Amino acid sequence: MNWLISNFDLVVGLTVNHIRLSVVPIIVGFVVAVPLARIAVTGRTARAVIITSTSLLYTIPSLPLFVILPAIIGTKVLSDINLIVALSIYAVAIMVRAAADAFTSVPVDVKQASLAMGYSRWQQFWRVEFPLAGPVLLAGMRVVSVSTIALVSVGVLIGSQNLGYLFTNGKQRNILEEVATGIVASLLIALVFDLILVLLGRLLLPWNRKNGSRSAQADSVRLPITVGDVG
Amino acid sequence: MIEFRGVTKQYPDGTLAIEHVDIVIQPRTITVLVGSSGSGKTTLLRMINRMVDPTSGQVLVDGTDVATVDPVRLRRSIGYVMQNGGLLPHRRIVDNVATVPLLRGVAKSAARARSLELLDTVGLDRGLADKYPRQLSGGQQQRVGVARALAADPNILLMDEPFGAVDPIVRLELQTELRRLQSALDKTVVFVTHDIDEAFALADQMVILRTGGIVAQIGTPAEVLAHPADDFVASFIGADRGQRRLRLQPRDPASGRIVVVDSAGRPAGLIEDDHASIGDGASPDVKAS
């Protein structure tokens, strides 16, 4: 514990920065993916184009992306913005497919009923489809959250200050405790984020409790590693 | 009054879902659209609230062509009940019932109070108000569906196979309930079913449809029973199989009652008024059920 005690301030600083770097991509992923996914479920062509192209984004290797981004968006090479943009792209890639599954999971008869009741299209989206997609959207967000927190560490290779620093630095100086601290701290962040998401779900989706379909929801969310979704 | 005038629905691939249909539906009656799947009965129903628009012809409600009315406003003025209730799983029962008044901008407290009254109307315990739909039985959900359709006090109630998913006992109970409600509330009800017995049980007027959305016969249940328009109708209502042919059995010596039997000799019911007796030529009012 000696290393941790004497470097406590460093660890806290890196943890805070790690959280800061994770939060933005997770939120951007959600905000961008939901409308894209909603458009994707309107038709076969839309679905094929949107899901395939966003899934392809996930196949871009992270390091080259970090390096190329400054040239594309005109940021400084060592700016954290590069990392945030790159991670947002990955978050969108995961979340679009999850959100498309979420919208597909809304029962057709409920949509029909809301139409028959006299919901306008807009009201139908906000008051029926979006809340009912909630459980699967939430499952998708949990995957995005863990994935983003893990990927932030890679950013240390382009000079970002986060818990990934403890991995590279600890490895170079052969301090096992430093590497272990980095791992434990990342895990803790991931756990806390997951807990927050689950609690948010409890709060926002009270109707969904004891639904017995948790596994089905989790099953429908997967990393978009397979690209062939044209069918 | 609801009127279909020369209504046709053709899909882009050329299939005809509805072929030149004319129907007049009198106010404050129950009209049942009955036919097997593919007969276009649900499509016809949905033309009334513009969930489907005809390719040609007109649907008029109280003389106004619905095509000239904004669909969202139109739908909020017409009650709609669907199979499985179609309740919103994420809203409590009280809010489900209040859906349309809330959409119309009624204050939340007033809408909730009205919801609770409607639960009484459809025979549900107010204690269910704060539950979610999945916590209710199928029959209860169906009653909530009816309450929701009544919430904005519409003149017209559209019912799309509303009792299709509940067990036969609950179904009978709901049919009785619907007739009671209809006579109490004086709504114009248009009811879709594939169950001919349900049609006979509920209808003031029956519209029998055949595949391809063609009207085979329109009439009261008695007219349809007495004069099936063609072989299709006769077969559809079971007349050709003798299902609707009932005979009186000689008075049961023990109880003194007259039993009605079907063509296979199975008992179908009892004669209520047994002053009428076999052989004196009087034909008692026997209703097929």
Side-chain angles (χ1 to χ4, degrees), chain A residues 137-209:
Chain A
L137 286 175
L138 179 69
M141 285 302 284
R142 292 175 69 181
V143 176
V144 169
S145 157
V146 173
S147 148
T148 305
I149 291 162
L151 277 171
V152 164
S153 316
V154 185
V156 76
L157 299 176
I158 52 165
S160 166
Q161 291 297 302
N162 58 60
L163 290 171
Y165 172 81
L166 300 182
F167 304 152
T168 48
N169 188 262
K171 185 167 177 291
Q172 280 159 12
R173 293 166 59 196
N174 220 1
I175 307 174
L176 191 63
E177 195 186 339
E178 186 177 357
V179 176
T181 303
I183 293 172
V184 170
S186 309
L187 272 175
L188 277 177
I189 296 176
L191 278 174
V192 169
F193 272 42
D194 199 53
L195 195 68
I196 291 172
L197 285 171
V198 169
L199 289 177
L200 265 177
R202 287 265 171 89
L203 198 71
L204 298 175
L205 312 165
W207 51 276
N208 189 43
R209 240 172 284 175

Side-chain angles (χ1 to χ4, degrees), chain A residues 113 115 118 123 127 207 209, chain B residues 46 51 75-76 86 90 134:
Chain A
L115 194 69
Q123 288 169 326
R127 301 195 200 171
W207 51 276
R209 240 172 284 175
Chain B
R46 290 184 170 177
M51 287 172 77
R75 289 172 198 149
R76 288 178 189 176
H90 61 304
R134 71 184 156 77

